[in-house]
Amino acid sequence: MLTYSMGGPTINAGTPAYGDNRIMRYTPPTGEFEVMIISCNPGEDITLPQLPVPAVFIVIEGSGTTDNEDGQRLVMRPGRSYLMPAGCSPLTCSVNAKKRGALRIALAHENQHRDRPTLSSASDFPVSWRGEFALPPEVRTPSLPGTPRMGMSPAGKAAIAKNLNGNGNGGHFDVPKL
């Protein structure tokens, strides 16, 4: 998540919201937005929270339907997006029990929990990611288009292990000049 802070990265682990573990809230310490990931497994239904602000939700995985109190039904599929006006009646999402996977929705809106961000400092974790350019070229160079990826070379795996364990060149790699 965007934090507008300098220094090492922060990790947004999220927190369950509205007393339901299927609704994970990701709140940065900024007022612009927060995101909830809502999951509904086959054979279940879940009611989206009623919000005092407008929200946009995007179906990121699976399919299902939603009904509102007025009996209007939406068929949800990956890639579809919807606008929820402020204070709209609650939507109940459901997934047919015969479906294979869960319905996942990303719901974004103005931050309502700015005083309770869900961020952790990178120093709270034993291994930190130093970025793509901290890896040697043989690890970060993608395959040519259409070429099957055969996995990482032994040298690349050893370089990552040295980097993560702090046994390398101060945890950093020299970037080759072009």
Side-chain angles (χ1 to χ4, degrees):
M1 287 284 195
L2 181 62
T3 64
Y4 301 113
S5 65
M6 297 290 292
T10 52
I11 294 135
N12 197 332
T15 188
Y18 301 97
D20 192 331
N21 288 335
R22 299 174 300 166
I23 303 174
M24 293 297 291
R25 178 174 55 86
Y26 299 90
T27 304
T30 61
E32 288 83 7
F33 68 95
E34 70 181 342
V35 175
M36 288 187 276
I37 302 296
I38 300 161
S39 300
C40 185
N41 292 312
E44 296 180 348
D45 62 349
I46 189 168
T47 301
L48 302 181
Q50 186 172 18
L51 299 168
V53 294
V56 172
F57 74 86
I58 301 169
V59 179
I60 54 177
E61 185 179 342
S63 63
T65 59
T66 184
D67 297 318
N68 66 11
E69 291 176 345
D70 299 328
Q72 298 169 323
R73 174 169 279 194
L74 296 173
V75 176
M76 298 183 293
R77 292 191 176 93
R80 289 191 176 176
S81 61
Y82 304 91
L83 173 67
M84 290 175 54
C88 79
S89 59
L91 297 174
T92 300
C93 300
S94 50
V95 177
N96 187 312
K98 295 179 182 178
K99 294 287 182 181
R100 287 185 168 180
L103 170 67
R104 294 201 202 299
I105 298 169
L107 183 97
H109 56 82
E110 181 183 337
N111 193 337
Q112 302 295 294
H113 303 94
R114 184 172 181 183
D115 58 330
R116 293 174 288 175
T118 58
L119 299 174
S120 299
S121 170
S123 62
D124 295 341
F125 295 88
V127 175
S128 64
W129 171 248
R130 292 180 180 91
E132 176 182 4
F133 292 104
L135 299 175
E138 63 270 13
V139 174
R140 61 183 159 89
T141 304
S143 300
L144 294 172
T147 304
R149 187 165 174 91
M150 302 305 291
M152 192 178 306
S153 70
K157 289 179 184 177
I160 288 178
K162 279 177 73 173
N163 186 27
L164 293 177
N165 294 328
N167 299 332
N169 180 17
H172 298 282
F173 295 96
D174 293 329
V175 177
K177 293 180 182 180
L178 300 176

